[in-house]
């Protein structure tokens, strides 16, 4: 039995974090500059947000019951 989060859970959380980070960056960009965020910048923001999260999730151990 593994003591760490399974791969699919880490992947799911990381994808959600990437999407949320890109969406929030797009909202902020739109409010400041009044034109849409270029897609490559949104992808870069999401990817950079995912890297530290993936590393953190590899270290998290789920709270195990009996």
């Amino acid at each position: 039995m593994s003591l760490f989060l399974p791969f699919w859970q880490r992947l799911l959380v990381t994808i959600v974090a990437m999407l949320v980070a890109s969406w929030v960056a797009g909202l902020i960009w739109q409010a400041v500059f009044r034109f849409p965020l270029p897609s490559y910048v949104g992808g870069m923001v999401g990817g950079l947000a995912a890297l530290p999260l993936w590393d953190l999730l590899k270290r998290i151990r789920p709270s195990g019951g009996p």
Side-chain angles (χ1 to χ4, degrees):
M1 180 172 138
S2 176
L3 297 176
F4 298 103
L5 288 176
F7 177 78
W8 69 269
Q9 286 179 345
R10 291 193 320 256
L11 184 63
L12 182 65
V13 170
T14 303
I15 289 173
V16 169
M18 286 173 59
L19 293 174
V20 169
S22 297
W23 180 69
V24 169
L27 288 178
I28 293 170
W29 182 280
Q30 181 77 24
V32 172
F33 297 112
R34 302 284 185 222
F35 64 91
L37 178 71
S39 59
Y40 61 89
V41 176
M44 185 177 65
V45 169
L48 290 175
L51 289 173
L53 181 65
W54 182 261
D55 191 47
L56 176 69
L57 290 175
K58 285 195 310 187
R59 298 177 183 176
I60 290 179
R61 297 174 188 260
S63 58

